[in-house]
Amino acid sequence: MKSSTCSQCGKPISQEDKFCQHCGAPQKTAATAPKPVKTAEPRGISTASLVKWLLIAGVTGLVFGWIRYWIGYYVLIQGVIAGLLIPWMVKKAAPNQLEAISDIRFKMALLLFFSFMVAQAIGFGVAQPVFDPFNWVARVWNGDTTESVFGIFSTGGVVHQTFSEGLSGGFWAFLWFFDISFMFFLMLVSLPLTTNKKRS
């Protein structure tokens, strides 16, 4: 306990004393400053933030769709880049809402994935002379045209020749499904993990 002196008689008293124990004179006590209240990180996700994140995934999908139509498809490479790039940009766009994202990580990954896929289809349409997002996909599926595929299958020989001529139909759809499944997995694990901190 800190000590002080009486302002009236000069005898020693405690700083907490409102009156002198010796002469009874009232003492001036220093006002205690209120302790700062820690503000918890906002747990709710604002509509503006959600729209911003979906736009990030959408613009990325639009660019990837345009590249796929004109250049070709890089199996797994697209999935890796999109699956890591989109969550990274989302975290950069909202560093103060990482805990809120972690609470709905699976739903957020689904929303980002869906936004990317819709935008990629639009990218297919934008790249064509006449805008028709699903026309090109349908033609590749039906075998009316092919999509150039690169990446892990460019190994030379018969395999290289087969894939350099492009793919269509079921095998093409399988590779696409394999790629987007890998992309979704990377999105999910790259978003913020749920913390063990108790809510304040």
Side-chain angles (χ1 to χ4, degrees):
M1 186 178 292
K2 296 180 180 180
S3 61
S4 181
T5 56
C6 174
S7 58
Q8 187 70 24
C9 66
K11 292 183 179 180
I13 60 171
S14 172
Q15 280 188 346
E16 285 76 15
D17 290 341
K18 295 181 180 179
F19 299 92
C20 178
Q21 298 175 359
H22 305 283
C23 67
Q27 304 297 310
K28 293 181 179 179
T29 56
T32 56
K35 294 181 179 179
V37 179
K38 293 183 179 179
T39 56
E41 180 180 302
R43 299 193 66 85
I45 294 178
S46 66
T47 304
S49 295
L50 183 60
V51 170
K52 186 192 303 181
W53 300 335
L54 294 180
L55 280 175
I56 288 173
V59 171
T60 305
L62 193 68
V63 172
F64 276 56
W66 189 92
I67 291 174
R68 274 189 68 173
Y69 184 84
W70 285 111
I71 299 176
Y73 188 39
Y74 290 79
V75 181
L76 284 184
I77 295 178
Q78 173 184 276
V80 169
I81 294 175
L84 295 176
L85 179 63
I86 293 173
W88 179 79
M89 290 191 292
V90 166
K91 289 188 285 188
K92 286 292 183 182
N96 62 333
Q97 290 190 309
L98 299 183
E99 191 174 352
I101 295 174
S102 70
D103 290 342
I104 56 167
R105 188 161 57 103
F106 185 77
K107 292 179 181 179
M108 181 60 64
L110 281 177
L111 286 172
L112 295 174
F113 176 78
F114 181 75
S115 179
F116 175 89
M117 295 303 295
V118 170
Q120 187 180 54
I122 295 173
F124 296 151
V126 170
Q128 298 176 68
V130 178
F131 182 79
D132 192 351
F134 299 101
N135 176 51
W136 177 75
V137 176
R139 285 189 289 119
V140 177
W141 170 255
N142 293 328
D144 299 330
T145 187
T146 60
E147 180 179 19
S148 298
V149 179
F150 309 98
I152 60 175
F153 297 103
S154 298
T155 55
V158 177
V159 176
H160 173 75
Q161 182 179 358
T162 301
F163 282 88
S164 64
E165 293 173 357
L167 289 177
S168 62
F171 194 46
W172 165 81
F174 170 76
L175 289 180
W176 192 2
F177 177 78
F178 180 71
D179 184 77
I180 61 178
S181 299
F182 194 68
M183 179 181 70
F184 176 76
F185 172 76
L186 288 177
M187 280 185 180
L188 184 62
V189 299
S190 298
L191 288 172
L193 296 172
T194 305
T195 61
N196 294 324
K197 294 179 181 178
K198 294 181 180 179
R199 296 187 180 183
S200 55

